[in-house]
Amino acid sequence: MEPNVTEGSSSRDQELKNPPNGYTYPTEIHLVAPPVQFRRFGNAAALGLITFGICTFQESMMQAGMSVGYGHGYGSMTGQSIAVAGIAQLLAGLWQLANGDTFEGAAFTSFGASWIAKGLGHVPGTGVLAYQQGESAETVRKQQGIIALAWSIWVLILLAGNVKSHVANIVMFGTLNLQLDFSCAGAWLDHERLTKAGGWFGFFCGLSAMYNAAAILLNEENFWFNIPVGNWYTPKALKHDEEDRLYDV
């Protein structure tokens, strides 16, 4: 398809009309994300991972009953839930969307919004605490189980999108999915051990998220070696005819 060039157009338009050496420009190119040199922002993945990892690590310790008693200490996470895992992670997701990385953008943005909502739930005057006080303990538990189930489905989708990624990513999403599954079961069944088990999975999820952030930030340019992440999948090299099918000409 030949580009439509009007009279008096720029030299760039003339170049499009008469490409060099008979080259034909593709009308549409499908890219997962633009190359780094063409991105308008820096890579915000490390920011999203570390903010998520730090707060998940802390909250999961409280859920598992480490250091503090089981089910206590969540109120101390209010500020970090809103500012660190919430706003900072949300912004990291928006930056990744601007960079053309739809997967990480969707993950960080959705989880950032979730953490903001979680933090606001502990702020007096938002109506969440007053609503829960008017409900029975069983109703509140089951509501929390429904929330955990919905997010577990979303994390399962993200895990499926990472099966061809490295092992560190798979471990992070896998343990996060298990945390939500056990938290859901523990809330619905009012089973303390299941809820604590979910906290332990979240504890290791937070550690793996921080490890993934370290793998991005630490490399041979500023560290002694690259942090290993366990790259196990090698994409098959495309043949010329397969490369042509990536373009809709």
Side-chain angles (χ1 to χ4, degrees), residues 8-22:
S9 58
S10 64
S11 59
R12 175 60 179 166
D13 292 335
Q14 294 296 332
E15 181 182 345
L16 289 174
K17 183 177 180 181
N18 301 304
N21 300 324

Side-chain angles (χ1 to χ4, degrees), residues 181-197:
D181 290 340
F182 277 83
S183 298
C184 174
W188 275 351
L189 301 175
D190 194 17
H191 200 291
E192 181 178 324
R193 289 187 177 181
L194 288 176
T195 305
K196 283 186 174 181

Side-chain angles (χ1 to χ4, degrees), residues 44-61:
L47 173 63
L49 287 166
I50 198 63
T51 52
F52 168 78
I54 288 175
C55 290
T56 300
F57 176 83
Q58 296 177 72
E59 185 187 56
S60 298
M61 288 185 67

Side-chain angles (χ1 to χ4, degrees), residues 27-137:
T27 58
E28 184 178 359
I29 302 176
H30 299 281
L31 292 176
V32 176
V36 176
Q37 63 269 27
F38 296 113
R39 295 181 181 178
R40 303 179 66 179
F41 302 96
N43 186 357
L47 173 63
L49 287 166
I50 198 63
T51 52
F52 168 78
I54 288 175
C55 290
T56 300
F57 176 83
Q58 296 177 72
E59 185 187 56
S60 298
M61 288 185 67
M62 299 173 190
Q63 180 179 340
M66 305 181 202
S67 180
V68 297
Y70 166 71
H72 296 280
Y74 291 119
S76 63
M77 290 291 299
T78 301
Q80 292 191 74
S81 296
I82 297 174
V84 181
I87 296 175
Q89 188 179 186
L90 178 69
L91 291 175
L94 294 177
W95 284 329
Q96 290 302 86
L97 288 173
N99 282 333
D101 194 330
T102 305
F103 186 93
E104 289 185 353
F108 291 142
T109 305
S110 60
F111 278 106
S114 173
W115 276 95
I116 292 174
K118 188 185 298 185
L120 290 177
H122 293 283
V123 177
T126 59
V128 178
L129 295 177
Y131 172 76
Q132 291 182 344
Q133 289 174 357
E135 298 287 348
S136 65

